[in-house]
Amino acid sequence: MKRKHPAKDHNRMTKHSFLVLNGPNLSRLGKREPEIYGCLGLDDINRGLADAFPDITFEFYQSEYEGALLEKLFECEDKGSVDGIILNAGAFTHYSVALRDAISAIRIPVIEVHLSNIYAREEFRRHSVISEVCAGVISGFGSLSYHLGVQALMAKAAEKSSEGKC
Ligand code: DQA
């Protein structure tokens, strides 16, 4: 259970700020194995999110490097700049203990998303080392996985703001 970030009070907050964080090879979407990952590029997916959720302020970030992803997570934590993170960690999902530790070290809720259904693919993709420290996992819905991730974060924030009011 993550502690609440002091900079974020969901009772008072009206506008959400979410980080959409993508890891290695996701810059190649649209060109990369379209039969698995679809025809949309990462820019198309990001634009689709901004269009679908005009009331949310998005920050979009992608890197091929593990350390850069960690630094982005810590930057968001230290600045209190976002109140939720949608993360497609790409292949780091399956083996990056460093990424898992970084997610554990921050208080911002993280939703793990995948375009493909990792549980219906090769054996090595069926295990995620980050799922345990994420607020939830969405896998297998193509670009819709990101949209569902945003909805999950919104639902989590609403749940928080009504905590103890049942
Ligand atoms: C992925 C699944 C991973 O196994 C793979 O390494 C990726 C993309 C997905 O979105 O389906 O790069 O995270």
Side-chain angles (χ1 to χ4, degrees), residues 14-128:
T14 50
K15 196 167 161 75
H16 293 297
S17 298
F18 295 155
L19 169 70
V20 182
L21 184 59
N22 281 281
N25 298 310
L26 293 159
S27 58
R28 306 298 297 166
L29 287 179
K31 305 180 186 103
R32 172 196 183 200
E33 298 176 278
E35 66 288 358
I36 297 175
Y37 299 115
C39 296
L40 295 182
L42 189 54
D43 285 348
D44 300 320
I45 293 178
N46 291 345
R47 210 171 309 116
L49 286 172
D51 288 349
F53 300 99
D55 295 336
I56 295 175
T57 303
F58 286 105
E59 182 182 352
F60 299 106
Y61 185 79
Q62 186 274 335
S63 180
E64 313 298 348
Y65 300 98
E66 191 180 30
L69 299 178
L70 269 59
E71 281 175 358
K72 180 49 82 175
L73 292 175
F74 296 144
E75 179 196 304
C76 288
E77 172 78 1
D78 292 342
K79 287 189 181 161
S81 52
V82 299
D83 53 319
I85 297 172
I86 293 121
L87 170 64
N88 186 346
F92 291 148
T93 303
H94 311 297
Y95 67 90
S96 176
V97 176
L99 185 59
R100 177 200 166 104
D101 287 350
I103 296 167
S104 273
I106 64 172
R107 288 161 287 182
I108 308 165
V110 177
I111 306 284
E112 173 184 348
V113 303
H114 301 283
L115 294 144
S116 63
N117 178 357
I118 59 171
Y119 303 101
R121 297 188 61 194
E122 303 96 317
E123 184 66 38
F124 70 89
R125 288 186 209 276
R126 294 186 200 157
H127 180 65
S128 163

Side-chain angles (χ1 to χ4, degrees), residues 132-150:
E132 270 182 10
V133 293
C134 287
V137 184
I138 298 164
S139 183
F141 300 98
S143 61
L144 181 61
S145 292
Y146 291 84
H147 290 246
L148 295 172
V150 170

